[in-house]
Amino acid sequence: MGNTGDTGSDEYLVLMKNIVKIYPDGTIALRGVDFTLRRGEIHGLLGENGAGKTTLMKILAGILKPTSGTIYVVGKKVVFSAAADALKLGIGMVHQNLSLIPSFTVYENIVLGLPRKQLLNARENINKLMSLTGLRVPLDERVEVLPFGVKQKVEILKMLFRNVDVLILDEPTTNLTLTETRELFNMINELKKMGKSVVFITHKLREVMEVADRITVLRKGRVVGEVPRAEANLNLLAQLMVGRNMISATSRETTTAGEELLIVRDLWVLSDLGTWAVRGVSLTVRSGEILGIAGVEGNGQKELVEGLTGLRRVEKGEVIFRGRRINNLPPSELYKLGIAHIPEDRTLMGLILDFTVSENSILSIQRSTSFRGFLNTLVWGRVAEHALSLITKFNITAPSLSSPVKYLSGGNQQRLVVAREISKEPQLIIAAQPTRGLDISATEHIRSLLLDFRKRGKAVLLVSSDLEEILQLSDRVAVMYEGRFVGIKNVSELTEDKLGLMLGGVSD
Amino acid sequence: MSYVLSTIINLLVSTSYAMTPLTLTAVGEITSERAGVVNIGLEGMISVSALVSVAVATQTLNPWLGLLAGVCAGALIGFIHGIISAYGKGAQIISGVGINIFALGFVPYMIIALWGVAGYKQVPEAGRIPRIAGLVSPIFIFCVLIAIATHYILFRTSLGLKIRALGEEPQAADTLGVHVERLQLIATVYGGALAGLAGAFMSLDWLGTITKEIAAGRGFISLALVVFSNWKPSLALLGGALFGSSWALTEWLKVLPGVKGVVPVTIINTLPYIVTLGTVAGVIGRARPPRKSGVPYLRE
Amino acid sequence: MVIVIAVLLVVAAVAIYTFLPTAPTTTPTTPTTPQLNKICIVYDIGGRGDLSFNDMAYLGGDRAARDFNLVLTELQSRSESDYLPNLRTLSRSGECVIIVGVGFLLTDAIAQVADEYPNQLFAIIDGYVDKPNVLSVLFKEHEGSAVVGALAAMIAGYYNKTTVGVVLGMEIPVLYKFEAGYYWGIRYGQEIFKEKTGREINVKILFTYTGAFNDPARGKTATEAMLGEGAIVVYNVAGATGLGIFEAVAEAGAREGRTMGPPFGIGVDADQDYIKPGFIIASMMKRVDVGVYTATKKALNYLIHKNETKFGGILELGIAEGGIAMSRVEDLETFLELGIQAGTIKPQDKETILNAVTSMRNSIPSWIWEEAYKLQETLKTNKSLEVMGIKFSDIEAMIPFTADTIANLRSSLGVG
Amino acid sequence: MRRKVLIEVLIKTGNVVAAMTVGLIIGGLIMQAYGYDALHAYYSLLRHAIGNPLTDPYPLTSTLSLATPLIFTGLAFAVSVRSGLFNIGVENAVYLGALGVVLASGFLKADTPLVLVIGSLMGLSLSILFALVAASLKVFRGVHEVITTIMLNWVAYWLVEYVRVNVFPDLRDPSKTIPVPPSARIPLLVAGTELSVSIIIAIIASLTTYFVLWYTVFGYELRATGINLIAAKYAGIKTSRFMIYSFLLSAVLGGLAGVCEVAGRPPHYSITTGISNLVGLGFDGIAVSLIGLNHPIAVIFASILIGALNSGVRGMQIEARVPFELVRLIQGVIVVSLAMPGVLSTFRKYLSIRRGRMEVVS
């Protein structure tokens, strides 16, 4: 597959040869991968979850050690013993699960690890860099209070501030709005003009087509194609990536909306900082419909969801579910009434990573009588049956029922969460970012599950920053901006462009 | 000098001595925990360093060499603990417990092996740390300075930023080129060195002797002080002063005639602990430990 | 693979375990006939280095072993739970001429094992077990304490000071005996002083329980408090905590530019005069070594030489029996000589220490010393001495003390 | 599936064995360096820790009896770790559990088994009371448990000393408290040894703890709280309540250690000067729990391991004439070595990587 000589030549800024990575638990992530990167090139690295994209780039960034294989940078063989070594050679990586320190300020996160002399006018330089790239972040805020999207900007800024030659971006657009994505792409092109190289890891075909000069496609630890953009098209890439023809996009059947299940009137919720995050939101969700809430992250969606699910105090307003006032009821009560919750962060909230598949399959329904025996004992036999039925019904791949869910892939973890929540037979599912960071097949699967749920006459309150998802799934769409709804519209009245305007707070 | 004044001065001096080993040890441990390594072997490190410092001071009749040796001994144990914790990714608590047990054997064994007596050794006058104005220990002054300096380093310098990053999210620091293990080791060695200084202070300065259980629980009090201070060296200084003064006051109260008739001695003895508990409950409240402190940093 | 390793490990362990006894490197561990040639000492958890009965017991055991050609086996205890198994294991071996339990903490354990092994001889230091095979070695600490108490009072009078103190360890009955004797002695010393000088003095007595035998820091701080209250003599009844007492006393003296007291400390158990030469006026010697030595001798007489028909009972050692005494310079010489033999004291230091102690002693009028030693002689035979309406024999009658009786005694002797 | 579990257990055991071997070797070298026969010493250690149970059960019973309180305190610490707390207060629970039995003996002044029942209840209530202080400070004021429990340990210590000196001293030997009356004592399992029925209570406690943690909703929620507070809240678990429960459970288990020690260990059956028959049991429990990977069943074996080391100490002193201090030093080295992560696990990782490599090649 490698089309260069065996020693690295100057043609490539980076040359990785025959990289094999086997994890200590025996998982084979990379089975002999070659990868090249030219100076001033934007290189798309495409593949489904678990294809090995991230592993390959972590090896390039010095975070992982390859089991075997060689890396050449500017023609010289290099061995990285730590990320620092790669960083010294100008290779920096922005992770998907951001590696920021929550209790530190943005400024501290950016300057962490820099030598003293670079600190002298660091603040000034960061400000310059921010205006150069358009990535604006509040420097003295603690990172833990920032919304996900802003955190990612910090992460990118952090790397750029280190003046890297090679910037690896791992699924960078996952949490960005259209405008932000556009900004990011502009910035990437700027970087290219400055002679820097960018590796752009993604599973989104359109994006890679839009921005990359050259595209390498990985599947199951092998390179299955390396295509210049001129020769690439969506179908070809999709076929390479998935290994078969693409599944057609899920289509939404029309259903008739029924009774008003959830009524929210003038809801006010505080943020962690004690400021109003939700400022007087009103909405209704009817059975048989999906109400989508779009919006740039950090506009109060998180607090809204937490307010509705009993995880955060509702300060003012009214929440009525099937005719009953449910303000500030504890989560366990809400579950009993028929509300299910797919939380936005599965690893932090939806699952307990060290618990087994079985154990996680009953998280939040652990008190259900169907698993309880004499004296509040848990009857593991019945739990296992339940877990097994989820696994088979929802097509989840897991090593075994008794292996911790941390060993499951992200897609399977999320499938497990969704499966569990649907299996509760609720009337309403509140789903926050249900497909974030998932590959195509997992995304399609979960979307079809939600649509199926709706078809059965149940309701979904969908919170997502993915406009495509909002438009594909919702019957009606509300756009949230600075804690308020900009407007609630039927999906038929909306286009992506129109939605984009509303995200910026512009109503028509 | 009036009785009241002299008593107050005496109490202040007693406090300055009682707080020094606690504060030094706590400041060291704060640094180490900020870097993600918990060391509950403080008790053992104090004792072993006290022993080593006496051994060297007795031999050389030079207190400063003895002091240095004590610091080195603490640093060495910190180094071993650091190797096990940072590089070996070992269980930090077990290692710390082991250090304490080791010291329980090592110190009395070496006292016998070195001096042929069991249990204690006086430091010759020439091996004692000289006092300032006959009252104040130079190490007390140093202790105050080091607490402030450590606070400054941890919260105002890039080195401190790196160290604190290790306790919060070592992976983030790692990708930014911070040498996680090396820095953790350095922080642990620093923690050990300060515990070593505390030990040397106890034997060469405060008490002028080494006994086999010289730490007498101070390592654990220091551990509590780390939490009390919310992992901030400046607060550890205050906490050390609070505990030290109530401890000294307790010993004074017990001596005063009349007091024992009212409250049994055993109950008076709880005073420093109740004062600390009350302060932490009433004033300090919520403390947030470094998130990844005590958790070995494993790369993928 | 893993299972194979595990199995191999187990097999290896078993093999080592089984074949070890036949390995030539090991000395015979299961002798066919146990040899009755050991003095076995079980220390309490204070262990060696308490500067008190454990160390003294070792001295006695060591001397007896050399004199009687026996092997000294020492067994230290990690925790209180070890006493019974330690004693049982030694008894089962059948090799010990005598098993000495050092410290009152071992009393119950010895009582039990003595029943289980009626042919094994035991001695208990500081405890009382009523069994034919147990010798209970008790000391009359109150006698010696009275002597040093009188000395303390007279020194206070001589220096025109009004306060003396005692710093104690944990609150246990043995220490009550020290207290009682000391207070009585102080009051008696006042009488002597008045008699000799015609000056009436009323000494204020301070006492404190530091609550620890192992923390010199507490001893030092408590003593500093006492010195702050005007104390001139502080009696150490606190094991290793007492090192802090001497430290505080010497420091206070040095601060005033003195190389010898006042203030003074009083040593305990061993002759501690050498610890801070010049600042320890005398020591109340409790010769646990004598107890151990005597017990061993009695055991040999009973067991081997058969010239004693009875072993058990109480061996009470007081001034008259040579088990209790206030130290003299000659005692110090003997102690130093022992120290030089053991290598703990450098020969050239001996003279320095002796000179310092002698000149300290000479700084006190000789009549005070004479009176103190006279009281020591008197107490050998005459227990009817009386002060403030309390006869010395009254104090003996109060043994064993409880917290209540000692509190009563304190108030009747005017102790704050 | 079964086989996998078995392999896990074997690997984990193997790791402990391997770490201990390293410790023993280092300790042996130290002994040789100081002129003692290390092989002989270790042989005596084994002889006095296990011996030959068929001909002479005494060494083994001694090991088991020393392990008994550690099972309780190890469990107590394990429970708190499982719920996400670093509870050093097990130590005071031990004191107070024992204190309850002594108080009952003193108040009732009767030789009846009732003393044990009432005493246990009083002791457990006392330790629960102290735990509640730490728990409520944690939950309502956010005070970290390490500081509260260390302080409370000392408060409890002096409180017990107060009872020993001023309230219920044994009038015949006031260096300790009044003894538990004979009929209220926990009977011996083997006459002439120290092994009492306590060990059965301990094993039952550990099986129960295992059952509660893994087979009840309560245990599920407790463990969920310990691993991931946010997820537990999401699951509708009242997390602060479970922190309190965990403190209480630790207090009960620690208290039981105290009860069983004071009512079940000859010869004292009372609390002695400076609580010297109980001091340190809580701290030893930390090591035991961690060596046993905080698993209630493994804690039993970890306790026996430490019990055997403590029992074998006497053999090393008597037969190999290794001084006690050196033995402790070596014990410390062994415990430090137990901190090292698994040698076998590393080996297994190496194996699975090699297996993977062969797969890639083919």
Side-chain angles (χ1 to χ4, degrees), chain B residues 207-290:
Chain B
L207 305 174
T209 180
I210 170 80
T211 63
K212 60 181 181 171
E213 295 163 73
I214 190 158
R218 285 178 181 79
F220 286 101
I221 298 292
S222 305
L223 211 56
L225 208 51
V226 170
V227 182
F228 179 95
S229 69
N230 202 359
W231 288 265
K232 292 192 176 84
S234 54
L235 276 180
L237 193 61
L238 286 181
L242 177 79
F243 187 89
S245 58
S246 50
W247 181 88
L249 186 68
T250 304
E251 293 305 324
W252 278 74
L253 277 180
K254 288 195 293 182
V255 166
L256 297 182
V259 176
K260 289 178 292 267
V262 186
V263 190
V265 181
T266 40
I267 301 300
I268 303 177
N269 279 331
T270 62
L271 183 74
Y273 312 107
I274 302 240
V275 167
T276 310
L277 210 52
T279 312
V280 80
V283 185
I284 311 271
R286 197 164 300 276
R288 206 189 59 84

Side-chain angles (χ1 to χ4, degrees), chain C residues 139 333 359:
Chain C
F139 289 88
E333 266 188 279
S359 52

Side-chain angles (χ1 to χ4, degrees), chain C residues 136-272:
Chain C
S136 305
V137 184
L138 296 172
F139 289 88
K140 299 178 179 171
E141 295 92 346
H142 46 287
E143 292 183 355
S145 298
V147 179
V148 294
L151 178 71
M154 289 188 282
I155 287 174
Y158 170 69
Y159 283 104
N160 278 322
K161 298 278 180 159
T162 54
T163 313
V164 299
V166 53
V167 173
L168 303 112
M170 285 170 160
E171 207 163 340
I172 48 173
V174 179
L175 264 51
Y176 294 151
K177 276 155 85 182
F178 283 88
E179 268 195 79
Y182 187 58
Y183 302 151
W184 187 91
I186 291 168
R187 296 301 175 221
Y188 194 78
Q190 289 176 192
E191 297 290 313
I192 307 174
F193 192 83
K194 186 179 160 196
E195 214 170 275
K196 297 295 276 189
T197 65
R199 202 145 55 78
E200 185 143 356
I201 51 171
N202 188 15
V203 175
K204 194 164 100 184
I205 307 175
L206 299 174
F207 77 98
T208 184
Y209 277 94
T210 54
F213 282 116
N214 63 356
D215 192 358
R218 282 183 192 272
K220 188 174 181 189
T221 312
T223 308
E224 281 164 353
M226 287 190 176
L227 297 176
E229 292 292 309
I232 184 167
V233 181
V234 179
Y235 184 20
N236 160 27
V237 193
T241 298
L243 288 168
I245 302 173
F246 302 147
E247 185 61 34
V249 167
E251 221 169 67
R255 209 174 294 138
E256 287 169 25
R258 278 197 280 271
T259 54
M260 62 174 77
F264 295 105
I266 297 175
V268 76
D269 289 345
D271 187 335
Q272 296 182 322

Side-chain angles (χ1 to χ4, degrees), chain D:
Chain D
M1 205 64 257
R2 265 293 132 76
R3 190 166 161 270
K4 246 184 169 171
V5 173
L6 187 72
I7 289 179
E8 277 304 309
V9 170
L10 272 178
I11 293 261
K12 282 171 179 167
T13 320
N15 283 335
V16 174
V17 172
M20 254 195 75
T21 314
V22 173
L24 287 171
I25 290 171
I26 299 173
L29 292 177
I30 295 174
M31 278 194 275
Q32 291 292 355
Y34 280 104
Y36 301 97
D37 184 346
L39 275 182
H40 184 199
Y42 286 140
Y43 174 69
S44 337
L45 186 148
L46 269 180
R47 236 170 67 87
H48 284 259
I50 305 168
N52 183 348
L54 294 178
T55 56
D56 175 15
Y58 186 68
L60 188 62
T61 62
S62 169
T63 292
L64 292 178
S65 104
L66 290 176
T68 306
L70 300 182
I71 298 180
F72 284 117
T73 54
L75 280 177
F77 189 75
V79 166
S80 67
V81 171
R82 288 281 173 189
S83 65
L85 298 167
F86 196 85
N87 180 0
I88 310 188
V90 179
E91 184 81 10
N92 73 54
V94 178
Y95 303 164
L96 295 169
L99 181 66
V101 182
V102 166
L103 288 178
S105 313
F107 285 130
L108 294 178
K109 291 192 177 66
D111 188 2
T112 146
L114 215 61
V115 170
L116 182 59
V117 178
I118 295 174
S120 312
L121 288 177
M122 286 173 70
L124 297 186
S125 319
L126 274 173
S127 56
I128 283 175
L129 193 72
F130 267 59
L132 272 178
V133 174
S136 44
L137 282 177
K138 167 91 184 176
V139 171
F140 300 117
R141 293 282 299 144
V143 181
H144 198 284
E145 65 274 11
V146 162
I147 183 163
T148 44
T149 49
I150 288 180
M151 296 300 142
L152 286 172
N153 285 347
W154 282 106
V155 174
Y157 177 91
W158 291 114
L159 195 68
V160 175
E161 276 288 276
Y162 168 69
V163 171
R164 177 185 70 77
V165 175
N166 297 91
V167 186
F168 290 127
D170 184 352
L171 290 180
R172 284 169 304 119
D173 177 8
S175 66
K176 53 182 195 281
T177 65
I178 50 162
V180 178
S183 63
R185 292 175 188 173
I186 298 170
L188 290 179
L189 203 59
V190 185
T193 70
E194 301 94 49
L195 186 62
S196 73
V197 174
S198 304
I199 191 162
I200 295 177
I201 305 174
I203 290 172
I204 291 173
S206 104
L207 293 175
T208 312
T209 310
Y210 173 70
F211 182 81
V212 167
L213 283 183
W214 270 277
Y215 288 89
T216 66
V217 179
F218 175 86
Y220 180 93
E221 298 190 335
L222 187 99
R223 287 185 298 127
T225 309
I227 300 179
N228 185 338
L229 209 62
I230 297 170
K233 280 187 181 141
Y234 159 78
I237 298 166
K238 300 187 175 76
T239 50
S240 46
R241 201 177 281 184
F242 274 85
M243 278 187 197
I244 297 178
Y245 288 150
S246 143
F247 269 110
L248 300 190
L249 206 54
S250 281
V252 168
L253 288 164
L256 276 177
V259 169
C260 286
E261 280 299 284
V262 80
R265 179 174 302 280
H268 295 303
Y269 296 105
S270 60
I271 302 177
T272 56
T273 306
I275 327 185
S276 51
N277 52 340
L278 303 173
V279 160
L281 290 176
F283 284 109
D284 290 351
I286 297 177
V288 162
S289 169
L290 291 169
I291 292 168
L293 302 170
N294 307 317
H295 190 284
I297 305 295
V299 158
I300 300 179
F301 296 102
S303 306
I304 292 174
L305 177 71
I306 299 292
L309 277 179
N310 288 343
S311 186
V313 165
R314 119 178 15 98
M316 291 171 80
Q317 287 188 74
I318 298 173
E319 290 178 8
R321 307 187 65 78
V322 182
F324 176 73
E325 292 83 3
L326 196 55
V327 176
R328 297 229 71 182
L329 186 157
I330 287 157
Q331 269 190 330
V333 171
I334 292 173
V335 174
V336 170
S337 74
L338 284 174
M340 312 261 219
V343 179
L344 276 193
S345 299
T346 318
F347 184 62
R348 191 163 72 140
K349 276 179 196 164
Y350 163 77
L351 278 185
S352 59
I353 288 177
R354 207 183 62 168
R355 205 179 300 135
R357 201 175 269 173
M358 277 154 69
E359 199 184 314
V360 171
V361 169
S362 64

Side-chain angles (χ1 to χ4, degrees), chain A residues 394-395 415 440-450:
Chain A
F394 294 87
N395 217 355
R415 278 192 183 109
I440 294 176
S441 43
T443 303
E444 289 303 321
H445 186 200
I446 282 165
R447 287 180 188 169
S448 68
L449 286 174
L450 290 176

Side-chain angles (χ1 to χ4, degrees), chain A residues 309-384:
Chain A
T309 51
L311 293 169
R312 189 179 285 269
R313 245 188 84 78
V314 170
E315 304 290 337
K316 264 193 275 179
E318 215 175 10
V319 186
I320 292 161
F321 182 66
R322 298 169 88 187
R324 191 180 154 190
R325 196 183 138 98
I326 57 162
N327 283 32
N328 293 326
L329 283 183
S332 50
E333 290 296 316
L334 299 178
Y335 299 152
K336 273 187 216 151
L337 293 173
I339 296 178
H341 176 198
I342 298 169
E344 89 173 39
D345 189 339
R346 58 177 174 270
T347 57
L348 201 65
M349 195 181 268
L351 295 169
I352 294 179
L353 293 181
D354 287 315
F355 269 19
T356 65
V357 174
S358 282
E359 286 173 323
N360 272 298
S361 76
I362 58 164
L363 191 70
S364 78
I365 42 172
Q366 69 274 7
R367 284 176 180 270
S368 152
T369 44
S370 38
F371 311 119
R372 264 193 315 186
F374 180 62
L375 281 177
N376 268 351
T377 50
L378 269 178
V379 184
W380 284 115
R382 279 187 242 154
V383 174

Side-chain angles (χ1 to χ4, degrees), chain A residues 486-501:
Chain A
V486 178
I488 302 187
K489 296 244 152 71
N490 281 327
V491 73
S492 50
E493 304 166 35
L494 288 169
T495 59
E496 277 208 20
D497 291 340
K498 205 165 179 185
L499 210 49
L501 279 175

